[in-house]
mmCIF file of all heavy atoms in Angstrom:
data_model
loop_
_atom_site.group_PDB
_atom_site.id
_atom_site.type_symbol
_atom_site.label_atom_id
_atom_site.label_comp_id
_atom_site.label_asym_id
_atom_site.label_seq_id
_atom_site.Cartn_x
_atom_site.Cartn_y
_atom_site.Cartn_z
ATOM 1 N N GLU R 2 9.412 -23.872 -44.226
ATOM 2 C CA GLU R 2 9.060 -25.241 -43.897
ATOM 3 C C GLU R 2 8.424 -25.289 -42.524
ATOM 4 O O GLU R 2 8.710 -24.463 -41.669
ATOM 5 C CB GLU R 2 10.310 -26.119 -43.914
ATOM 6 C CG GLU R 2 10.742 -26.476 -45.317
ATOM 7 C CD GLU R 2 12.098 -27.127 -45.300
ATOM 8 O OE1 GLU R 2 13.099 -26.392 -45.337
ATOM 9 O OE2 GLU R 2 12.154 -28.342 -45.233
ATOM 10 N N PHE R 3 7.603 -26.277 -42.363
ATOM 11 C CA PHE R 3 7.000 -26.481 -41.055
ATOM 12 C C PHE R 3 7.626 -27.737 -40.466
ATOM 13 O O PHE R 3 7.831 -28.716 -41.177
ATOM 14 C CB PHE R 3 5.493 -26.644 -41.205
ATOM 15 C CG PHE R 3 4.757 -26.579 -39.911
ATOM 16 C CD1 PHE R 3 4.524 -25.349 -39.310
ATOM 17 C CD2 PHE R 3 4.323 -27.723 -39.281
ATOM 18 C CE1 PHE R 3 3.860 -25.276 -38.106
ATOM 19 C CE2 PHE R 3 3.654 -27.665 -38.066
ATOM 20 C CZ PHE R 3 3.422 -26.430 -37.487
ATOM 21 N N PRO R 4 7.960 -27.711 -39.174
ATOM 22 C CA PRO R 4 8.590 -28.900 -38.579
ATOM 23 C C PRO R 4 7.740 -30.137 -38.823
ATOM 24 O O PRO R 4 6.525 -30.103 -38.643
ATOM 25 C CB PRO R 4 8.646 -28.571 -37.096
ATOM 26 C CG PRO R 4 8.437 -27.112 -36.984
ATOM 27 C CD PRO R 4 7.803 -26.625 -38.226
ATOM 28 N N ALA R 5 8.387 -31.210 -39.226
ATOM 29 C CA ALA R 5 7.638 -32.417 -39.571
ATOM 30 C C ALA R 5 6.994 -33.038 -38.346
ATOM 31 O O ALA R 5 5.944 -33.662 -38.445
ATOM 32 C CB ALA R 5 8.568 -33.415 -40.241
ATOM 33 N N LEU R 7 6.116 -32.185 -34.158
ATOM 34 C CA LEU R 7 6.143 -31.216 -33.064
ATOM 35 C C LEU R 7 6.230 -31.949 -31.733
ATOM 36 O O LEU R 7 5.874 -33.127 -31.637
ATOM 37 C CB LEU R 7 4.869 -30.368 -33.081
ATOM 38 C CG LEU R 7 4.671 -29.497 -34.305
ATOM 39 C CD1 LEU R 7 3.246 -28.967 -34.332
ATOM 40 C CD2 LEU R 7 5.660 -28.340 -34.299
ATOM 41 N N PRO R 9 5.080 -33.210 -28.252
ATOM 42 C CA PRO R 9 3.718 -33.526 -27.802
ATOM 43 C C PRO R 9 3.239 -32.521 -26.765
ATOM 44 O O PRO R 9 4.040 -32.001 -25.977
ATOM 45 C CB PRO R 9 3.864 -34.904 -27.149
ATOM 46 C CG PRO R 9 5.213 -35.397 -27.484
ATOM 47 C CD PRO R 9 6.053 -34.222 -27.834
ATOM 48 N N SER R 10 1.969 -32.243 -26.798
ATOM 49 C CA SER R 10 1.406 -31.420 -25.723
ATOM 50 C C SER R 10 -0.098 -31.614 -25.688
ATOM 51 O O SER R 10 -0.709 -31.949 -26.695
ATOM 52 C CB SER R 10 1.736 -29.945 -25.945
ATOM 53 O OG SER R 10 1.062 -29.454 -27.067
ATOM 54 N N TYR R 11 -0.643 -31.418 -24.520
ATOM 55 C CA TYR R 11 -2.097 -31.473 -24.398
ATOM 56 C C TYR R 11 -2.666 -30.173 -24.907
ATOM 57 O O TYR R 11 -2.004 -29.125 -24.900
ATOM 58 C CB TYR R 11 -2.492 -31.642 -22.940
ATOM 59 C CG TYR R 11 -2.395 -33.066 -22.451
ATOM 60 C CD1 TYR R 11 -1.315 -33.493 -21.708
ATOM 61 C CD2 TYR R 11 -3.409 -33.971 -22.747
ATOM 62 C CE1 TYR R 11 -1.226 -34.795 -21.258
ATOM 63 C CE2 TYR R 11 -3.330 -35.283 -22.297
ATOM 64 C CZ TYR R 11 -2.240 -35.688 -21.553
ATOM 65 O OH TYR R 11 -2.165 -36.979 -21.126
ATOM 66 N N PRO R 25 8.729 -19.062 -7.993
ATOM 67 C CA PRO R 25 10.060 -18.457 -8.048
ATOM 68 C C PRO R 25 11.090 -19.263 -8.824
ATOM 69 O O PRO R 25 12.051 -18.704 -9.310
ATOM 70 C CB PRO R 25 10.451 -18.315 -6.577
ATOM 71 C CG PRO R 25 9.538 -19.204 -5.825
ATOM 72 C CD PRO R 25 8.303 -19.337 -6.625
ATOM 73 N N TRP R 29 13.236 -23.894 -13.831
ATOM 74 C CA TRP R 29 14.408 -24.768 -13.773
ATOM 75 C C TRP R 29 14.028 -26.239 -13.807
ATOM 76 O O TRP R 29 12.912 -26.618 -13.460
ATOM 77 C CB TRP R 29 15.197 -24.525 -12.488
ATOM 78 C CG TRP R 29 15.716 -23.132 -12.332
ATOM 79 C CD1 TRP R 29 15.401 -22.254 -11.339
ATOM 80 C CD2 TRP R 29 16.621 -22.441 -13.191
ATOM 81 N NE1 TRP R 29 16.063 -21.075 -11.522
ATOM 82 C CE2 TRP R 29 16.825 -21.159 -12.654
ATOM 83 C CE3 TRP R 29 17.289 -22.786 -14.365
ATOM 84 C CZ2 TRP R 29 17.658 -20.217 -13.237
ATOM 85 C CZ3 TRP R 29 18.112 -21.847 -14.953
ATOM 86 C CH2 TRP R 29 18.304 -20.586 -14.395
ATOM 87 N N GLY R 30 14.989 -27.017 -14.181
ATOM 88 C CA GLY R 30 14.918 -28.458 -13.981
ATOM 89 C C GLY R 30 13.869 -29.196 -14.778
ATOM 90 O O GLY R 30 13.490 -30.294 -14.392
ATOM 91 N N GLU R 31 13.405 -28.632 -15.871
ATOM 92 C CA GLU R 31 12.392 -29.324 -16.634
ATOM 93 C C GLU R 31 12.818 -29.447 -18.078
ATOM 94 O O GLU R 31 13.286 -28.484 -18.683
ATOM 95 C CB GLU R 31 11.083 -28.537 -16.569
ATOM 96 C CG GLU R 31 9.941 -29.311 -15.971
ATOM 97 C CD GLU R 31 8.652 -28.530 -16.055
ATOM 98 O OE1 GLU R 31 8.017 -28.596 -17.103
ATOM 99 O OE2 GLU R 31 8.290 -27.864 -15.072
ATOM 100 N N HIS R 32 12.654 -30.626 -18.631
ATOM 101 C CA HIS R 32 12.877 -30.781 -20.063
ATOM 102 C C HIS R 32 11.598 -30.507 -20.822
ATOM 103 O O HIS R 32 11.625 -30.261 -22.018
ATOM 104 C CB HIS R 32 13.341 -32.204 -20.383
ATOM 105 C CG HIS R 32 14.778 -32.449 -20.082
ATOM 106 N ND1 HIS R 32 15.776 -31.678 -20.599
ATOM 107 C CD2 HIS R 32 15.396 -33.376 -19.309
ATOM 108 C CE1 HIS R 32 16.947 -32.124 -20.176
ATOM 109 N NE2 HIS R 32 16.747 -33.152 -19.377
ATOM 110 N N GLY R 33 10.496 -30.572 -20.139
ATOM 111 C CA GLY R 33 9.212 -30.325 -20.792
ATOM 112 C C GLY R 33 8.734 -31.558 -21.524
ATOM 113 O O GLY R 33 7.881 -32.281 -21.034
ATOM 114 N N GLN R 34 9.285 -31.803 -22.698
ATOM 115 C CA GLN R 34 8.946 -32.979 -23.489
ATOM 116 C C GLN R 34 10.199 -33.400 -24.243
ATOM 117 O O GLN R 34 11.155 -32.637 -24.319
ATOM 118 C CB GLN R 34 7.843 -32.650 -24.499
ATOM 119 C CG GLN R 34 6.505 -32.257 -23.909
ATOM 120 C CD GLN R 34 5.774 -33.409 -23.274
ATOM 121 O OE1 GLN R 34 6.086 -34.572 -23.547
ATOM 122 N NE2 GLN R 34 4.809 -33.103 -22.428
ATOM 123 N N GLU R 37 11.969 -37.467 -30.766
ATOM 124 C CA GLU R 37 13.053 -38.145 -31.461
ATOM 125 C C GLU R 37 13.609 -37.200 -32.518
ATOM 126 O O GLU R 37 12.869 -36.529 -33.219
ATOM 127 C CB GLU R 37 12.541 -39.420 -32.126
ATOM 128 C CG GLU R 37 13.669 -40.288 -32.575
ATOM 129 C CD GLU R 37 13.276 -41.181 -33.724
ATOM 130 O OE1 GLU R 37 12.082 -41.270 -34.026
ATOM 131 O OE2 GLU R 37 14.179 -41.776 -34.319
ATOM 132 N N ARG R 53 13.528 -28.380 -23.617
ATOM 133 C CA ARG R 53 14.385 -27.422 -22.922
ATOM 134 C C ARG R 53 15.564 -28.180 -22.355
ATOM 135 O O ARG R 53 15.411 -29.306 -21.897
ATOM 136 C CB ARG R 53 13.636 -26.765 -21.775
ATOM 137 C CG ARG R 53 14.361 -25.565 -21.215
ATOM 138 C CD ARG R 53 13.677 -25.022 -19.999
ATOM 139 N NE ARG R 53 14.308 -25.481 -18.770
ATOM 140 C CZ ARG R 53 15.517 -25.122 -18.360
ATOM 141 N NH1 ARG R 53 16.251 -24.308 -19.081
ATOM 142 N NH2 ARG R 53 16.002 -25.567 -17.238
ATOM 143 N N ASP R 286 14.172 -2.401 -47.189
ATOM 144 C CA ASP R 286 14.883 -2.011 -48.405
ATOM 145 C C ASP R 286 16.094 -1.131 -48.118
ATOM 146 O O ASP R 286 16.314 -0.101 -48.757
ATOM 147 C CB ASP R 286 13.933 -1.260 -49.361
ATOM 148 C CG ASP R 286 13.002 -2.233 -50.069
ATOM 149 O OD1 ASP R 286 13.063 -3.427 -49.755
ATOM 150 O OD2 ASP R 286 12.223 -1.787 -50.925
ATOM 151 N N ALA R 380 3.773 -12.397 -40.677
ATOM 152 C CA ALA R 380 4.464 -12.841 -41.883
ATOM 153 C C ALA R 380 3.802 -12.300 -43.145
ATOM 154 O O ALA R 380 4.441 -12.118 -44.169
ATOM 155 C CB ALA R 380 4.492 -14.355 -41.938
ATOM 156 N N THR R 512 21.006 -22.585 -21.001
ATOM 157 C CA THR R 512 20.278 -22.051 -19.848
ATOM 158 C C THR R 512 20.157 -20.551 -20.021
ATOM 159 O O THR R 512 20.999 -19.921 -20.645
ATOM 160 C CB THR R 512 21.040 -22.324 -18.546
ATOM 161 O OG1 THR R 512 22.387 -21.907 -18.730
ATOM 162 C CG2 THR R 512 20.998 -23.775 -18.191
ATOM 163 N N LYS R 515 21.596 -14.321 -17.001
ATOM 164 C CA LYS R 515 21.292 -12.974 -16.516
ATOM 165 C C LYS R 515 22.426 -12.054 -16.941
ATOM 166 O O LYS R 515 23.589 -12.385 -16.739
ATOM 167 C CB LYS R 515 21.190 -13.030 -15.003
ATOM 168 C CG LYS R 515 20.671 -11.784 -14.367
ATOM 169 C CD LYS R 515 20.531 -12.044 -12.882
ATOM 170 C CE LYS R 515 20.704 -10.800 -12.082
ATOM 171 N NZ LYS R 515 20.787 -11.101 -10.663
ATOM 172 N N GLN M 21 19.231 -18.407 -7.135
ATOM 173 C CA GLN M 21 18.697 -17.966 -8.413
ATOM 174 C C GLN M 21 19.749 -17.180 -9.186
ATOM 175 O O GLN M 21 19.949 -17.376 -10.379
ATOM 176 C CB GLN M 21 17.462 -17.100 -8.143
ATOM 177 C CG GLN M 21 16.689 -16.720 -9.351
ATOM 178 C CD GLN M 21 15.783 -17.842 -9.806
ATOM 179 O OE1 GLN M 21 16.130 -19.007 -9.715
ATOM 180 N NE2 GLN M 21 14.622 -17.495 -10.287
ATOM 181 N N ASP M 22 20.418 -16.300 -8.468
ATOM 182 C CA ASP M 22 21.451 -15.474 -9.072
ATOM 183 C C ASP M 22 22.566 -16.331 -9.649
ATOM 184 O O ASP M 22 23.017 -16.108 -10.771
ATOM 185 C CB ASP M 22 22.029 -14.564 -7.985
ATOM 186 C CG ASP M 22 21.912 -13.123 -8.375
ATOM 187 O OD1 ASP M 22 20.826 -12.757 -8.858
ATOM 188 O OD2 ASP M 22 22.903 -12.395 -8.212
ATOM 189 N N LEU M 25 21.431 -18.193 -12.749
ATOM 190 C CA LEU M 25 21.294 -17.340 -13.923
ATOM 191 C C LEU M 25 22.647 -16.886 -14.444
ATOM 192 O O LEU M 25 22.741 -16.367 -15.538
ATOM 193 C CB LEU M 25 20.422 -16.134 -13.593
ATOM 194 C CG LEU M 25 18.931 -16.433 -13.500
ATOM 195 C CD1 LEU M 25 18.175 -15.260 -12.936
ATOM 196 C CD2 LEU M 25 18.376 -16.787 -14.862
ATOM 197 N N ARG M 60 13.670 -28.848 -8.558
ATOM 198 C CA ARG M 60 13.950 -28.109 -9.788
ATOM 199 C C ARG M 60 15.387 -27.595 -9.817
ATOM 200 O O ARG M 60 16.109 -27.779 -10.793
ATOM 201 C CB ARG M 60 12.979 -26.930 -9.920
ATOM 202 C CG ARG M 60 11.582 -27.362 -10.323
ATOM 203 C CD ARG M 60 10.683 -26.176 -10.532
ATOM 204 N NE ARG M 60 9.349 -26.573 -10.936
ATOM 205 C CZ ARG M 60 8.992 -26.843 -12.193
ATOM 206 N NH1 ARG M 60 9.890 -26.749 -13.159
ATOM 207 N NH2 ARG M 60 7.759 -27.202 -12.477
ATOM 208 N N GLU M 64 18.537 -28.862 -12.180
ATOM 209 C CA GLU M 64 19.238 -27.930 -13.060
ATOM 210 C C GLU M 64 20.742 -27.952 -12.776
ATOM 211 O O GLU M 64 21.562 -27.975 -13.695
ATOM 212 C CB GLU M 64 18.672 -26.515 -12.857
ATOM 213 C CG GLU M 64 19.144 -25.499 -13.879
ATOM 214 C CD GLU M 64 18.465 -25.654 -15.234
ATOM 215 O OE1 GLU M 64 17.311 -26.110 -15.273
ATOM 216 O OE2 GLU M 64 19.099 -25.332 -16.250
ATOM 217 N N HIS M 68 24.171 -29.448 -15.207
ATOM 218 C CA HIS M 68 25.273 -28.628 -15.700
ATOM 219 C C HIS M 68 26.555 -28.757 -14.895
ATOM 220 O O HIS M 68 27.613 -28.396 -15.382
ATOM 221 C CB HIS M 68 24.858 -27.153 -15.720
ATOM 222 C CG HIS M 68 23.655 -26.900 -16.563
ATOM 223 N ND1 HIS M 68 23.736 -26.816 -17.931
ATOM 224 C CD2 HIS M 68 22.355 -26.736 -16.262
ATOM 225 C CE1 HIS M 68 22.532 -26.600 -18.433
ATOM 226 N NE2 HIS M 68 21.668 -26.546 -17.436
ATOM 227 N N GLU M 98 10.144 -36.389 -15.922
ATOM 228 C CA GLU M 98 11.347 -35.601 -16.180
ATOM 229 C C GLU M 98 12.598 -36.468 -16.102
ATOM 230 O O GLU M 98 13.529 -36.302 -16.879
ATOM 231 C CB GLU M 98 11.446 -34.438 -15.193
ATOM 232 C CG GLU M 98 10.475 -33.292 -15.493
ATOM 233 C CD GLU M 98 10.758 -32.621 -16.831
ATOM 234 O OE1 GLU M 98 11.930 -32.594 -17.239
ATOM 235 O OE2 GLU M 98 9.804 -32.147 -17.472
ATOM 236 N N PHE M 101 12.793 -38.297 -19.285
ATOM 237 C CA PHE M 101 13.233 -37.434 -20.377
ATOM 238 C C PHE M 101 14.751 -37.299 -20.365
ATOM 239 O O PHE M 101 15.402 -37.345 -21.402
ATOM 240 C CB PHE M 101 12.603 -36.041 -20.253
ATOM 241 C CG PHE M 101 11.131 -36.019 -20.529
ATOM 242 C CD1 PHE M 101 10.340 -34.996 -20.041
ATOM 243 C CD2 PHE M 101 10.530 -37.015 -21.292
ATOM 244 C CE1 PHE M 101 8.983 -34.963 -20.291
ATOM 245 C CE2 PHE M 101 9.167 -36.994 -21.551
ATOM 246 C CZ PHE M 101 8.390 -35.959 -21.042
ATOM 247 N N HIS M 102 15.257 -37.128 -19.158
ATOM 248 C CA HIS M 102 16.698 -36.950 -19.079
ATOM 249 C C HIS M 102 17.437 -38.218 -19.509
ATOM 250 O O HIS M 102 18.440 -38.149 -20.214
ATOM 251 C CB HIS M 102 17.102 -36.540 -17.662
ATOM 252 C CG HIS M 102 18.508 -36.055 -17.573
ATOM 253 N ND1 HIS M 102 18.915 -34.856 -18.113
ATOM 254 C CD2 HIS M 102 19.616 -36.612 -17.040
ATOM 255 C CE1 HIS M 102 20.204 -34.687 -17.908
ATOM 256 N NE2 HIS M 102 20.661 -35.743 -17.253
ATOM 257 N N CYS M 105 17.311 -38.432 -23.256
ATOM 258 C CA CYS M 105 18.213 -37.503 -23.927
ATOM 259 C C CYS M 105 19.652 -37.963 -23.805
ATOM 260 O O CYS M 105 20.498 -37.554 -24.597
ATOM 261 C CB CYS M 105 18.064 -36.105 -23.361
ATOM 262 S SG CYS M 105 16.493 -35.393 -23.785
ATOM 263 N N LYS M 133 -3.339 -36.765 -16.582
ATOM 264 C CA LYS M 133 -2.664 -36.411 -17.826
ATOM 265 C C LYS M 133 -1.235 -36.927 -17.834
ATOM 266 O O LYS M 133 -0.740 -37.435 -18.845
ATOM 267 C CB LYS M 133 -2.641 -34.883 -17.987
ATOM 268 C CG LYS M 133 -3.951 -34.294 -18.485
ATOM 269 C CD LYS M 133 -3.818 -32.793 -18.639
ATOM 270 C CE LYS M 133 -5.004 -32.204 -19.358
ATOM 271 N NZ LYS M 133 -4.849 -30.762 -19.537
ATOM 272 N N TYR M 141 4.608 -42.509 -23.681
ATOM 273 C CA TYR M 141 6.052 -42.595 -23.920
ATOM 274 C C TYR M 141 6.529 -44.049 -23.840
ATOM 275 O O TYR M 141 7.408 -44.481 -24.585
ATOM 276 C CB TYR M 141 6.824 -41.712 -22.934
ATOM 277 C CG TYR M 141 6.970 -40.283 -23.423
ATOM 278 C CD1 TYR M 141 6.240 -39.252 -22.849
ATOM 279 C CD2 TYR M 141 7.820 -39.978 -24.483
ATOM 280 C CE1 TYR M 141 6.364 -37.961 -23.303
ATOM 281 C CE2 TYR M 141 7.940 -38.671 -24.943
ATOM 282 C CZ TYR M 141 7.213 -37.661 -24.356
ATOM 283 O OH TYR M 141 7.336 -36.391 -24.815
ATOM 284 N N TYR M 148 9.590 -48.279 -30.781
ATOM 285 C CA TYR M 148 10.965 -48.315 -31.280
ATOM 286 C C TYR M 148 11.524 -49.737 -31.202
ATOM 287 O O TYR M 148 12.231 -50.187 -32.105
ATOM 288 C CB TYR M 148 11.860 -47.338 -30.509
ATOM 289 C CG TYR M 148 11.582 -45.899 -30.885
ATOM 290 C CD1 TYR M 148 11.269 -44.953 -29.923
ATOM 291 C CD2 TYR M 148 11.617 -45.506 -32.214
ATOM 292 C CE1 TYR M 148 10.994 -43.649 -30.270
ATOM 293 C CE2 TYR M 148 11.339 -44.200 -32.581
ATOM 294 C CZ TYR M 148 11.028 -43.270 -31.605
ATOM 295 O OH TYR M 148 10.754 -41.999 -31.965
ATOM 296 N N VAL M 194 -1.418 -32.089 -29.313
ATOM 297 C CA VAL M 194 -0.486 -32.212 -30.425
ATOM 298 C C VAL M 194 0.266 -33.510 -30.207
ATOM 299 O O VAL M 194 1.109 -33.608 -29.329
ATOM 300 C CB VAL M 194 0.490 -31.020 -30.448
ATOM 301 C CG1 VAL M 194 1.493 -31.172 -31.569
ATOM 302 C CG2 VAL M 194 -0.262 -29.719 -30.599
ATOM 303 N N ASP M 196 1.911 -35.456 -32.684
ATOM 304 C CA ASP M 196 2.506 -35.805 -33.981
ATOM 305 C C ASP M 196 3.260 -37.133 -33.948
ATOM 306 O O ASP M 196 3.020 -38.024 -34.759
ATOM 307 C CB ASP M 196 3.473 -34.701 -34.418
ATOM 308 C CG ASP M 196 2.736 -33.468 -34.867
ATOM 309 O OD1 ASP M 196 1.493 -33.473 -34.785
ATOM 310 O OD2 ASP M 196 3.391 -32.500 -35.285
ATOM 311 N N ASN M 233 0.444 -30.277 -39.440
ATOM 312 C CA ASN M 233 1.023 -31.605 -39.613
ATOM 313 C C ASN M 233 -0.052 -32.677 -39.734
ATOM 314 O O ASN M 233 0.137 -33.671 -40.440
ATOM 315 C CB ASN M 233 1.953 -31.935 -38.456
ATOM 316 C CG ASN M 233 3.319 -31.321 -38.655
ATOM 317 O OD1 ASN M 233 3.656 -30.936 -39.768
ATOM 318 N ND2 ASN M 233 4.077 -31.211 -37.600
ATOM 319 N N TYR M 237 0.093 -35.326 -42.646
ATOM 320 C CA TYR M 237 0.133 -36.781 -42.452
ATOM 321 C C TYR M 237 -0.974 -37.460 -43.257
ATOM 322 O O TYR M 237 -0.760 -38.503 -43.873
ATOM 323 C CB TYR M 237 -0.016 -37.142 -40.971
ATOM 324 C CG TYR M 237 1.102 -36.640 -40.098
ATOM 325 C CD1 TYR M 237 0.914 -36.474 -38.734
ATOM 326 C CD2 TYR M 237 2.346 -36.322 -40.632
ATOM 327 C CE1 TYR M 237 1.925 -35.999 -37.921
ATOM 328 C CE2 TYR M 237 3.358 -35.848 -39.826
ATOM 329 C CZ TYR M 237 3.154 -35.682 -38.475
ATOM 330 O OH TYR M 237 4.147 -35.211 -37.689
ATOM 331 N N GLU M 267 4.719 -25.245 -47.144
ATOM 332 C CA GLU M 267 5.624 -25.553 -48.260
ATOM 333 C C GLU M 267 5.008 -26.523 -49.264
ATOM 334 O O GLU M 267 5.452 -26.616 -50.408
ATOM 335 C CB GLU M 267 6.955 -26.091 -47.741
ATOM 336 C CG GLU M 267 6.922 -27.511 -47.223
ATOM 337 C CD GLU M 267 7.053 -27.585 -45.706
ATOM 338 O OE1 GLU M 267 6.624 -26.621 -45.039
ATOM 339 O OE2 GLU M 267 7.580 -28.586 -45.204
ATOM 340 N N ASP M 297 2.348 -14.058 -50.901
ATOM 341 C CA ASP M 297 2.034 -12.944 -50.005
ATOM 342 C C ASP M 297 2.921 -12.957 -48.771
ATOM 343 O O ASP M 297 3.132 -11.933 -48.140
ATOM 344 C CB ASP M 297 0.584 -13.042 -49.521
ATOM 345 C CG ASP M 297 -0.394 -12.513 -50.548
ATOM 346 O OD1 ASP M 297 0.069 -11.881 -51.511
ATOM 347 O OD2 ASP M 297 -1.607 -12.736 -50.381
ATOM 348 N N ALA M 299 6.055 -13.290 -46.181
ATOM 349 C CA ALA M 299 7.440 -12.837 -46.174
ATOM 350 C C ALA M 299 8.405 -14.004 -46.357
ATOM 351 O O ALA M 299 9.456 -13.863 -46.969
ATOM 352 C CB ALA M 299 7.735 -12.120 -44.864
ATOM 353 N N SER M 345 10.472 -3.597 -55.621
ATOM 354 C CA SER M 345 11.168 -2.322 -55.437
ATOM 355 C C SER M 345 12.521 -2.382 -56.143
ATOM 356 O O SER M 345 13.029 -3.463 -56.465
ATOM 357 C CB SER M 345 11.362 -2.034 -53.961
ATOM 358 O OG SER M 345 12.275 -2.947 -53.418
#
Side-chain angles (χ1 to χ4, degrees):
Chain R
E2 282 170 273
F3 192 78
L7 296 167
S10 68
Y11 279 100
W29 300 119
E31 240 185 84
H32 282 305
Q34 296 289 342
E37 193 206 349
R53 192 186 99 68
D286 283 4
T512 50
K515 189 176 151 189
Chain M
Q21 188 80 324
D22 237 45
L25 285 170
R60 285 184 179 276
E64 190 76 29
H68 302 281
E98 285 296 329
F101 290 158
H102 193 70
C105 291
K133 281 181 170 182
Y141 273 107
Y148 287 125
V194 178
D196 287 3
N233 278 343
Y237 297 158
E267 74 251 29
D297 279 348
S345 68

